[in-house]
Amino acid sequence: PLIWQVLTEYERLPQFVPGISRSVVRARQGNRLLVEQSGEARFLIFSFPIEVKLEVLESPPDWIASRGVGGNVRRMSGRYELHPDPARGWIVLRYFGAIEPDFDLPPLIGVAALRGTIEEQFLAMVAEIERRAAAQGSRTR
């Protein structure tokens, strides 16, 4: 439940995910949402603005899928998958995604900026999950 909570707190993402400055749920109908986000991808001295409208589909507690339906991306899709490993007491969290901006990026710099930003954002999500899990553990002792 904690992992799901962190992944689906769309409007709180700017508080703990670097590169996201705004995230607003514009509509929710059952397990479908429309989320608007803005931020930037950075690499060295370069910065590229990202504005996106995402259609999000939630299938608790197994996966969350999103696809870009507006903004300055030509194509954007992502999917978080949660896989329990009862033998180890773990949850394996996987992210798959693709992004193709609708603006020009220098060939090698643009790919590095987008890849680095996505990796940094995923690691920030994991760090927030771990931070909250540790805080819950200390409260129960």
Side-chain angles (χ1 to χ4, degrees), residues 122-134:
F122 181 79
L123 291 173
M125 295 287 277
V126 171
E128 180 66 11
I129 291 164
E130 291 174 342
R131 184 193 69 74
R132 292 187 195 184

Side-chain angles (χ1 to χ4, degrees), residues 27-97:
R28 179 185 292 268
Q29 185 174 9
N31 64 341
R32 293 185 180 277
L33 297 90
L34 180 62
V35 179
E36 288 182 3
Q37 293 181 339
S38 58
E40 63 184 6
R42 292 177 171 257
F43 182 73
L44 301 174
I45 62 170
F46 302 97
S47 174
F48 308 98
I50 305 284
E51 300 281 336
V52 66
K53 289 182 184 175
L54 296 169
E55 178 183 63
V56 178
L57 181 60
E58 299 176 342
S59 181
D62 301 313
W63 54 265
I64 301 166
S66 64
R67 70 181 185 93
V69 294
N72 65 352
V73 293
R74 189 171 294 126
R75 184 174 64 93
M76 183 174 188
S77 63
R79 182 177 174 99
Y80 286 99
E81 294 182 355
L82 290 83
H83 299 278
D85 184 343
R88 295 184 178 153
W90 294 353
I91 301 285
V92 176
L93 175 61
R94 291 191 175 106
Y95 175 76
F96 306 91

